[in-house]
Amino acid sequence: MSGNDREAAVRRILEQAPRPLPPEIHAEAVRRGGRMLRRRTLARRVMWLLLLAAAVAFTVWALTARPWVEPPSDTTPPLTGW
């Protein structure tokens, strides 16, 4: 099928009158859409909760471990008894 044939076939399809849809499709689409929105909202809330928990855990770890402080040197002997 060449490009002109495809274009002509697409134009014929687009020029046809749209077929009527069954009335129950609208109710089904609304039901599924509502369910998808609820799932997305729940997933978004769970992700924010996990992010908050990770931030709190990191803050607690940083405050207890204090990784920015240089550890004391264990290789130099103590200077006592001069």
Side-chain angles (χ1 to χ4, degrees), residues 41-57:
T41 303
L42 179 65
R44 191 177 300 123
R45 286 182 182 168
V46 166
M47 291 300 290
W48 276 111
L49 183 65
L50 288 175
L51 182 66
L52 178 67
V56 168

Side-chain angles (χ1 to χ4, degrees), residues 5-18:
D5 293 338
R6 276 191 225 148
E7 185 178 341
V10 169
R11 287 187 187 275
R12 276 194 309 273
I13 290 171
L14 290 176
E15 289 172 355
Q16 293 175 356

Side-chain angles (χ1 to χ4, degrees), residues 24-40:
E24 66 271 2
I25 286 184
H26 178 264
E28 180 69 18
V30 168
R31 186 181 65 79
R32 285 186 180 185
R35 184 172 53 195
M36 284 176 44
L37 285 176
R38 284 190 302 276
R39 284 183 181 173
R40 276 191 201 151

